[in-house]
Amino acid sequence: MAALELPADRVDLWYTRVEPWEPEESRRRFWGWLDERERATWERYRPPARKHLYLIAHALVRRVLSLYGDSIEPSEWQFAVAPGGKPEVVGPGGFAVRFNLSHTNGLAAVGVTRWRRLGVDVEAGKAPETMLALARRFFAASEVAELEGYPAAEASQIALEVWTLKEAFMKGVGLGMALSPRRFAFDVRAGRPWRLVATGLDSEQAEGWTFATALLGGVRLAVAVEGRLAEPLLVRQLGPANWDVAGNLGGWSDPPHG
């Protein structure tokens, strides 16, 4: 299979379903792709389901990167952890690409781009009371006030979408949970396409980001991308077994929300 093109003005998103089991042959192959740091992290997980999810998610990153890197095997990718804790590609040399990974029970997703900063987050649904309590604790005051204007069930779904957007943005700027989600706010009342309306960040960090969300089989996904996209966000699925391209969901500038 020829390497896929990744123009500088495009972001591709890949996801795979994480089944509770995987053929032994596949698991051995995926384990062989991981580096020493990844294997050490895998060893620290105790519940078998968490170990399995970690293995599949990190194998997914390597498999996806190799779709773009001509003749680069999944095991050849080298990573370093930036000061904010975000992994970056440092090898093989001569191939510029950025990525961001997120996973939850049943699904893993990775976004790839040439130069842009980006963040990806996936979150499984939560009970309305749980989601609303999380919003009251971690959202900006303006977001909480706007959520209170909706019935509880609808408010909880909106809150889940906003939470994934916040996580994606915090990862995208490279700060993760070091950036308080209360320091910036989305326009909850206006909704999609999502935009920041209030921020305690400097302009370099906060301006010019594009946001998109989708609902993938009950899992909420959000992407935060630095700059404006000249091409729609491309979302693809990797199938099980050999992880060939199983489906192309088309180009979405603001993906369907379900």
Side-chain angles (χ1 to χ4, degrees), residues 135-214:
R136 295 185 187 101
R137 181 178 179 185
F138 292 108
F139 283 15
S142 63
E143 294 168 324
V144 175
E146 290 173 344
L147 283 172
E148 290 177 349
Y150 293 91
E154 186 177 0
S156 69
Q157 292 301 313
I158 297 171
L160 178 62
E161 190 167 357
V162 171
W163 180 246
T164 59
L165 286 163
K166 283 178 172 284
E167 290 256 30
F169 180 67
M170 292 187 292
K171 294 170 69 178
V173 296
L175 297 176
M177 293 306 293
L179 169 61
S180 170
R182 295 195 193 93
R183 287 187 60 191
F184 60 96
F186 287 93
D187 189 340
V188 172
R189 180 62 61 180
R192 313 176 187 107
W194 292 99
R195 63 188 182 93
L196 289 172
V197 292
T199 175
L201 305 174
D202 60 52
S203 58
E204 183 179 352
Q205 289 178 308
E207 292 179 358
W209 284 76
T210 298
F211 302 94
T213 63

Side-chain angles (χ1 to χ4, degrees), residues 31 34-46 51 54:
W31 172 260
L34 304 187
D35 61 24
E36 291 184 4
R37 181 185 60 83
E38 290 169 315
R39 292 180 182 183
T41 301
W42 180 88
E43 291 284 1
R44 288 196 292 271
Y45 284 111
R46 287 293 173 260
K51 295 172 83 78
Y54 181 92

Side-chain angles (χ1 to χ4, degrees), residues 70-258:
D70 192 19
S71 301
I72 301 175
E73 294 297 323
S75 60
E76 294 178 323
W77 294 100
Q78 301 165 23
F79 307 106
V81 179
K86 190 175 182 180
E88 297 179 346
V89 173
V90 294
F95 188 83
V97 65
R98 283 182 164 181
F99 74 94
N100 196 237
L101 168 69
S102 185
H103 51 76
T104 189
N105 292 337
L107 189 139
V110 59
V112 290
T113 182
R114 283 294 187 186
W115 310 107
R116 301 169 186 263
R117 292 183 294 172
L118 83 158
V120 176
D121 188 55
V122 292
E123 299 284 345
K126 297 176 174 60
E129 59 272 16
T130 301
M131 195 63 242
L132 293 176
L134 184 148
R136 295 185 187 101
R137 181 178 179 185
F138 292 108
F139 283 15
S142 63
E143 294 168 324
V144 175
E146 290 173 344
L147 283 172
E148 290 177 349
Y150 293 91
E154 186 177 0
S156 69
Q157 292 301 313
I158 297 171
L160 178 62
E161 190 167 357
V162 171
W163 180 246
T164 59
L165 286 163
K166 283 178 172 284
E167 290 256 30
F169 180 67
M170 292 187 292
K171 294 170 69 178
V173 296
L175 297 176
M177 293 306 293
L179 169 61
S180 170
R182 295 195 193 93
R183 287 187 60 191
F184 60 96
F186 287 93
D187 189 340
V188 172
R189 180 62 61 180
R192 313 176 187 107
W194 292 99
R195 63 188 182 93
L196 289 172
V197 292
T199 175
L201 305 174
D202 60 52
S203 58
E204 183 179 352
Q205 289 178 308
E207 292 179 358
W209 284 76
T210 298
F211 302 94
T213 63
L215 190 62
L216 302 175
V219 175
R220 178 60 66 181
L221 174 145
V223 182
V225 184
E226 184 179 32
R228 303 303 176 192
L229 297 180
E231 296 186 37
L233 181 72
L234 191 63
V235 181
R236 290 167 164 168
Q237 181 181 5
L238 278 179
N242 294 325
W243 274 6
D244 294 325
V245 179
N248 184 347
L249 303 189
W252 299 341
S253 55
D254 188 27
H257 310 283

